[in-house]
Each structure stands twice: as structure tokens, then as C-alpha cells.
Amino acid sequence: MRILIVEDDEILGNGLTVGLEMNGFTADLATCCGDADAALRSGGFDAVVLDVMLPDGSGHELLATVRGRGDATPVLLLTALDTVADRVEGLDGGADDHLGKPFDLDEVAARLRALVRRGANRPTAYLEWDGVRLDPARMLATRGGEDVRLSRREFKLLHALMERPGTILSKAQLEEKLYGFQEGVESNAVEVHIHNLRAKFDRSVVETVRGVGYRLREASR
């Protein structure tokens, strides 16, 4: 899951980025409304963590702009102003959830997973496909009840494919899920992770569609 964090406090923003990465997310950081708006226009984010007080405007104003152009990306609003009136303003302004500062990082991660799950109309906290189960909260993969050890990026890649089984995802789309703006991407990184997934499950688990991308093969019956 790729998350945009909009936070101008350097320590808090970096802490959120590192913490969410450790929880299995790919996180990008924007420190002002202008950069956040440009990032959202480029697309590819599953959810947004949005601070209310920013140097070039308010999170409420940015949220109004985003919703005004029809962008329905789930938004978790963070604010030090945590009165009922503040929560009502944020939720009525288009936010999907609200969390006051200070907050617990595990709760932020859990709320983001819930927002993405609701956005995908998925009732359970885990994903299942052909005997494979992914538990994003615990970064755990199992097959037939047996644990399968995956690296963080292998887990992210399989998660991206299992969110849209049967859908072909291009190499560029998978790179977006695996790497943030600030991270360098080696030219064969996706291919290496695909190779490792096939070794840990079986070679047919991920199908290559030449010239287009990758998808999960059709589940066995």
C-alpha cells in the first residue's frame, strides 16, 4: 500500500515515514500543500495522512481541492486540534478518518489498513488467493497453513498482485508500490522479486504477460 504523508514537521514526518515503512507500507513525504497536490495529481496512492496546519495553507483547504476534482483517495486527517468541532469539520470536509496528536504509530497503521480495506470493499483484514493468505497487519504470508518467509518488498509485491487478482500490473505500477519518490530503483528490481516469489511458492504463481506486465495466474479449482 502506497501512502502519501503530508506533514511539515521534519521529525514527525520522517518518523511517520520510517514507521509506516516498517509496517509494510511504501511512504512518500510532502511538506506543504503545493507538493502534496502535485503528488496526488500524479496518482498511485492508496491513502493519505494529512496534517491540518501546513506552511502554505491548511489541510482542510487541500482536502477541499482534492475532493473538488473528484479524487476519492482515502484521507486520514491528523491534527493537534482535537475538539468535536475540529473532528466534525474534517469529516464533513471530506476526510475519511480523524486522529488527534499525539498518536500511536500502530493505530495510524491500523486505521490506514482499514481505510484501504473499505475503499476496496474488502470485509476481512487479510487477502486470500489459491491457498495463499496475506495478513498485512502482521506482515505474514502463509500457504496451506504454513508460514512463508518473505522480505518486505516481496510481501509488498505479492500484496499488490493479490489486491487485484487477474489484473495485469505493469512493471512501472509495481515499482510505484515498492518504492517511494526518494528511493532509487534498480532496473531489474521487480524481476528479482518476482523470481524470489516463484522460488518460495512455485514458478506458476506469477504469470508474465510479455510486453505488458505481471499478474497472478488463475486460481486452481
Side-chain angles (χ1 to χ4, degrees):
M1 291 175 280
R2 190 178 181 202
I3 306 299
L4 178 65
I5 300 167
V6 189
E7 171 60 67
D8 66 315
D9 183 290
E10 182 177 0
I11 294 176
L12 183 55
N14 289 335
L16 276 168
T17 301
V18 172
L20 290 179
E21 287 278 354
M22 291 177 64
N23 274 274
F25 297 90
T26 297
D28 289 300
L29 177 63
T31 58
C32 64
C33 291
D35 289 348
D37 188 45
L40 286 168
R41 286 181 184 275
S42 71
F45 294 99
D46 297 294
V48 181
V49 177
L50 176 61
D51 187 26
V52 169
M53 292 181 285
L54 296 165
D56 58 343
S58 76
H60 294 301
E61 293 168 345
L62 175 61
L63 184 56
T65 298
V66 170
R67 294 298 188 240
R69 63 170 176 262
D71 188 335
T73 305
V75 173
L76 171 61
L77 207 60
L78 297 180
T79 177
L81 305 174
D82 195 28
T83 66
V84 172
D86 293 315
R87 294 196 294 272
V88 169
E89 180 182 3
L91 294 170
D92 281 347
D96 299 273
D97 200 356
H98 184 287
L99 193 58
K101 297 179 181 179
F103 50 79
D104 184 272
L105 185 57
D106 287 340
E107 183 177 2
V108 174
R111 286 175 181 260
L112 287 171
R113 286 191 293 267
L115 288 180
V116 174
R117 188 166 67 244
R118 289 202 298 269
N121 195 29
R122 194 175 71 244
T124 60
Y126 50 83
L127 293 90
E128 286 190 295
W129 169 86
D130 200 23
V132 177
R133 175 180 285 198
L134 290 190
D135 183 345
R138 295 189 294 162
M139 294 278 293
L140 180 65
T142 60
R143 189 177 196 184
E146 298 291 330
D147 290 355
V148 180
R149 295 179 64 85
L150 300 178
S151 72
R152 183 166 57 89
R153 289 208 166 100
E154 290 165 5
F155 189 95
K156 286 183 180 182
L157 194 151
L158 186 56
H159 187 282
L161 292 169
M162 286 181 67
E163 280 188 314
R164 302 170 66 184
T167 300
I168 301 171
L169 298 181
S170 69
K171 180 179 177 179
Q173 286 176 308
L174 290 173
E175 286 175 344
E176 280 189 351
K177 296 293 186 181
L178 296 177
Y179 299 94
F181 288 142
Q182 294 83 14
E183 296 180 279
V185 184
E186 295 183 9
S187 60
N188 67 336
V190 168
E191 289 86 350
V192 169
H193 296 313
I194 293 288
H195 172 80
N196 292 339
L197 286 176
R198 287 169 172 164
K200 292 179 179 182
F201 292 96
D202 60 62
R203 290 198 57 80
S204 63
V205 66
V206 181
E207 179 185 0
T208 300
V209 182
R210 295 195 179 279
V212 183
Y214 303 91
R215 66 184 172 195
L216 293 180
R217 62 168 172 77
E218 185 176 352
S220 58
R221 295 175 183 264

